[in-house]
Amino acid sequence: GRKEALLQTAVSLSPYTAEYYAALAKLYAYTGNFAAAAAQQKTAAHYDRTSPAVWFELGGMYEASWKLQAALDTYRYCLALSPADAEIHIAVARVLEKMGRKCDALRHYESALKLGATQRTSLQSRNRLALECEREQPTEESHTITEDEEILAE
């Protein structure tokens, strides 16, 4: 409606300003139009290539529309810009988990916690994934038992 028209006017008057595109993206995201939101946020990121916040928002829009590989790539770029940001590690972990890459996600939750993340959900996710990854990857002891069983079977 009116807000969109005002933002479109602002963009037309100053087409190289990332803030206007980012504001338009948030407006589209708020209405549930994540495809349009991502397109506007991508333009904002084009004009502000060094802002982790702009890229983080773009990753969130990709994630919300289940474009998980695009979200992961965007969050990783964001992480390259700001490697000590726990929130970015959490976002990477969340997307990796959605992609079924649980042990990779675990490493990013652990990094976030080391960097001071305090969200209870991050700790819970880390603990749950630690158990799942432990079950998926045999320990030395269980591997030895398997080898012994093979020798006994011969």
Side-chain angles (χ1 to χ4, degrees):
R2 180 160 166 69
K3 288 181 185 178
E4 181 181 356
L6 289 172
L7 285 171
Q8 290 286 6
T9 301
V11 166
S12 69
L13 294 173
S14 184
Y16 307 110
T17 305
E19 291 82 17
Y20 295 133
Y21 291 101
L24 196 52
K26 287 180 183 177
L27 178 67
Y28 286 134
Y30 180 76
T31 63
N33 188 348
F34 294 110
Q40 294 299 322
Q41 192 66 30
K42 189 173 182 180
T43 302
H46 172 76
Y47 290 120
D48 194 350
R49 296 177 190 266
T50 61
S51 170
V54 171
W55 288 92
F56 190 81
E57 288 293 325
L58 178 58
M61 289 174 189
Y62 283 140
E63 185 180 355
S65 59
W66 282 88
K67 293 180 179 180
L68 298 181
Q69 188 60 54
L72 180 61
D73 294 343
T74 303
Y75 286 143
R76 283 185 171 155
Y77 181 79
C78 191
L79 201 53
L81 294 173
S82 185
D85 189 322
E87 288 298 315
I88 301 169
H89 281 281
I90 291 169
V92 170
R94 192 176 55 240
V95 171
L96 286 168
E97 189 173 359
K98 288 177 183 177
M99 296 173 82
R101 296 172 53 187
K102 295 176 183 179
C103 296
D104 291 331
L106 171 63
R107 287 189 280 284
H108 281 280
Y109 279 124
E110 288 175 341
S111 294
L113 292 167
K114 286 178 187 172
L115 290 167
T118 58
Q119 296 91 337
R120 173 177 271 173
T121 55
S122 297
L123 182 58
Q124 290 170 339
S125 294
R126 183 253 171 241
N127 291 340
R128 179 180 41 75
L129 289 176
L131 290 172
E132 290 179 26
C133 289
E134 189 176 293
R135 278 186 244 131
E136 288 177 13
Q137 297 178 357
T139 62
E140 283 296 319
E141 187 176 298
S142 66
H143 185 68
T144 304
I145 292 169
T146 304
E147 286 178 5
D148 292 344
E149 289 174 350
E150 285 179 17
I151 293 168
L152 290 173
E154 291 178 355

